[in-house]
Amino acid sequence: MHVNRMPRYEILSEEAVATLDRGWRRIVSELGVEFVLPEAVEIFAAAGQDVDGPLVKLDPDFVMEQVAKAPRAFDVQARNPANVIHIGGEHMAFASVYGPPFVREGDVRRDATLADFENFCRLSQHFTQLDSAGGTICEPNDTPLDSRHLDMIYTLQTLTDKPYMGSVTSGPNAADTLRMTEILLGGAEAVDGNPAVISLINVNSPLRYDDRMLAAMFEYVRAGQPVVITPFLLMGAMSPVSIPATLAQQLAEAMAGIALAQLIRPGTPVIFGSFLSNTDMQSGSPSFGTPESAIGLFCTGQLARHYGLPFRSGGGFTSSQTTDAQAAYEAMMTMVPTFLAGVNWVMHSAGWLESGLVSCYEKFIVDIEILRMLQEEFTPLEVDEESLAFGAHEEVGAGGHFLGAVHTLERFRDCFYRPLLSSTENFERWQRNGGDDAAARAGTLWREALEAYEQPALDPAVESQLAEYVRRRRAELGD
């Protein structure tokens, strides 16, 4: 895991934080939030909150009492103990892209398949810059809809030994994820109350939680598993055309969901989620890698720390249709603020293309290169007498060069960043070697990474139990 000890970039004044605090309090108390699941409404009513059908108006002080029960940091298990991740504080954990129904491979854009899902799991396992493969890295459209969550969880468990994300498309799918996680890690007692699977609970912004997300949330929270409560905010569409107004709405939605999680099971781990960008008001399409999203990211990090919560944001976002300069600079425009803000759980770190519709092999490699560079850049520089290399100056003297100095020969392999993707050749050598641009080199590299991938060992008895569970549940679902 990357530990980011660099100073955080905080842009809100104390007065601004206080204003935003008043803003979300007014939203939850005067407007309220809809919870389209009767069980959720019943829990709020039993806690003395104002309920009218699915609409719940909340006492802000009550909300803060519940939010205070959430841990500031927690660990998430992995079947390989070396890959346990810490969520919170100075730690940053990175997961690959989540959710796209399509895949791009070179010039071909097509429906994603289970084979693609498997490949992205292998790539996520192979590259140490990623701490998790994530969850729905792509949607395998060649598998039955009712049971594909079983295929995805099984693949995450067998092709990687890193933490993974659970299915949230329904309560039963979440329950399947939990049962399979129990099999993987040695039983219910190993999972209940011990974070082992992270799950994304999106708000149907503005100000509504739908029944499917809530049903999944109830399953995970009852088992003490961490949930990422994430308002889905595109300014001008799901929130007002204003960064401050959107931040207040984000706080209202997230705080309401976090309060519910604590009512279900006090002390359950939560991650304050943020998916905040803006809409192109000429086309109606979402925009990514924009200055507005970066400002929102900085503010969200500061607010999450203010309320004592680990947070999720950032990623390698782009609206580009292909792996080009736009894809790279928009991804960097989001990932640099991600590091400056010190995001704890970073989804969509590798592979996101076309506003999240596409998981792209070449973009995956470009994003890994961005991660490699930023993880180096955001590692504090150690300055001591040895690092000043006075002996090297004594050896070389005035007017010489350091190419053959003892200090250089002893350290050059480890001292400088070694590019994975960038070309450092001169023009003539680059031309002789084929003249490939970065996208073409990325196409070569992801294939080489798949060839170098080594599947992590799994106890055959455990693998057999997982396969049997998938077979039995598939039969029960009629698939």
Side-chain angles (χ1 to χ4, degrees):
M1 284 192 70
H2 180 71
V3 181
N4 183 356
R5 296 189 173 91
M6 304 288 263
R8 300 294 178 261
Y9 193 64
E10 297 192 340
I11 63 175
L12 295 172
S13 66
E14 290 185 10
E15 181 182 358
V17 171
T19 301
L20 291 168
D21 185 74
R22 291 193 297 272
W24 78 261
R25 287 170 178 265
R26 188 176 183 190
I27 290 172
V28 299
S29 60
E30 296 183 24
L31 301 178
V33 178
E34 286 190 353
F35 291 85
V36 192
L37 185 72
E39 191 174 359
V41 177
E42 291 167 6
I43 287 177
F44 279 121
Q49 302 307 291
D50 184 2
V51 169
D52 181 11
L55 182 66
V56 180
K57 293 183 179 179
L58 296 158
D59 174 1
D61 290 335
F62 166 81
V63 171
M64 287 305 301
E65 289 175 9
Q66 304 310 312
V67 170
K69 298 174 184 177
R72 300 180 72 94
F74 56 91
D75 289 340
V76 182
Q77 301 179 67
R79 70 176 175 92
N80 179 355
N83 289 331
V84 169
I85 59 175
H86 183 77
I87 304 292
E90 296 178 326
H91 288 72
M92 300 181 70
F94 299 90
S96 58
V97 64
Y98 184 108
F102 302 107
V103 157
R104 189 177 185 94
E105 179 182 347
D107 294 329
V108 178
R109 182 186 188 273
R110 53 177 171 76
D111 287 347
T113 66
L114 184 58
D116 292 312
F117 188 92
E118 292 169 346
N119 280 342
F120 282 116
C121 281
R122 294 183 180 103
L123 291 173
S124 300
Q125 175 71 20
H126 176 76
F127 287 105
T128 58
Q129 288 73 30
L130 293 177
D131 303 288
S132 168
T136 308
I137 315 174
C138 61
E139 191 75 32
N141 290 287
D142 58 341
T143 59
L145 180 61
D146 289 344
S147 61
R148 70 175 53 154
H149 67 286
L150 301 169
D151 297 315
M152 288 190 284
I153 297 300
Y154 178 81
T155 302
L156 288 163
Q157 292 178 322
T158 56
L159 297 187
T160 82
D161 60 8
K162 299 177 180 181
Y164 52 88
M165 299 184 71
S167 176
V168 293
T169 48
S170 72
N173 287 9
D176 281 332
T177 302
L178 288 167
R179 299 294 86 75
M180 294 177 70
T181 302
E182 291 168 0
I183 293 170
L184 182 72
L185 296 178
E189 65 280 357
V191 173
D192 185 59
N194 300 310
V197 55
I198 298 177
S199 299
L200 175 65
I201 306 300
N202 279 330
V203 185
N204 190 5
S205 303
L207 303 176
R208 175 181 291 164
Y209 283 79
D210 69 36
D211 55 344
R212 292 195 305 164
M213 282 285 170
L214 286 171
M217 175 179 168
F218 268 76
E219 292 287 343
Y220 289 118
V221 172
R222 281 174 175 151
Q225 297 305 301
V227 288
V228 189
I229 308 291
T230 303
F232 188 91
L233 301 173
L234 295 175
M235 289 178 279
M238 281 85 92
S239 70
V241 187
S242 157
I243 297 174
T246 299
L247 289 169
Q249 179 183 327
Q250 176 178 256
L251 281 169
E253 294 176 348
M255 293 299 214
I258 293 169
L260 175 59
Q262 299 310 310
L263 287 171
I264 297 169
R265 181 165 177 161
T268 194
V270 295
I271 300 172
F272 174 15
S274 174
F275 187 94
L276 188 162
S277 194
N278 54 292
T279 306
D280 183 331
M281 300 309 292
Q282 292 182 315
S283 67
S285 298
S287 298
F288 294 101
T290 63
E292 292 81 6
S293 65
I295 293 169
L297 204 163
F298 294 141
C299 296
T300 299
Q302 186 172 350
L303 291 167
R305 287 185 287 275
H306 175 74
Y307 294 107
L309 295 165
F311 77 111
R312 166 257 165 146
S313 193
F317 297 137
T318 180
S319 301
S320 181
Q321 313 297 311
T322 187
T323 306
D324 57 5
Q326 178 188 345
Y329 71 69
E330 287 181 345
M332 185 66 90
M333 273 289 292
T334 308
M335 287 305 294
V336 169
T338 297
F339 277 78
L340 287 170
V343 177
N344 301 120
W345 176 244
V346 187
M347 297 175 59
H348 310 298
S349 300
W352 166 294
L353 195 68
E354 201 180 317
S355 300
L357 288 174
V358 171
S359 296
C360 176
Y361 287 102
E362 288 76 19
K363 176 64 162 38
F364 192 101
I365 299 299
V366 170
D367 290 335
I368 290 294
E369 182 73 322
I370 290 173
L371 272 181
R372 291 178 75 240
M373 288 189 285
L374 290 177
Q375 287 175 358
E376 289 282 341
E377 185 177 332
F378 281 82
T379 299
L381 181 65
E382 294 185 9
V383 179
D384 53 24
E385 286 299 321
E386 183 181 0
S387 67
L388 297 181
F390 187 79
H393 285 289
E394 290 181 318
E395 178 184 350
V396 172
H401 66 77
F402 293 87
L403 291 173
V406 172
H407 181 272
T408 302
L409 296 175
E410 289 177 344
R411 293 170 175 80
F412 76 93
R413 289 183 177 87
D414 302 318
C415 193
F416 296 134
Y417 176 82
R418 302 175 72 185
L420 172 71
L421 183 60
S422 305
S423 173
T424 57
E425 301 170 314
N426 61 35
F427 177 78
E428 288 76 15
R429 186 180 298 123
W430 170 77
Q431 197 172 43
R432 286 197 303 271
N433 289 335
D436 288 341
D437 62 11
R441 291 194 294 274
T444 299
L445 283 169
W446 73 257
R447 291 178 175 86
E448 291 177 350
L450 285 182
E451 291 178 1
Y453 162 82
E454 295 182 6
Q455 183 168 345
L458 177 61
D459 185 331
V462 172
E463 187 169 359
S464 177
Q465 291 177 54
L466 288 169
E468 174 57 24
Y469 183 89
V470 170
R471 186 203 62 76
R472 177 172 58 79
R473 286 290 291 133
R474 187 181 283 119
E476 291 172 354
L477 293 167
D479 292 336

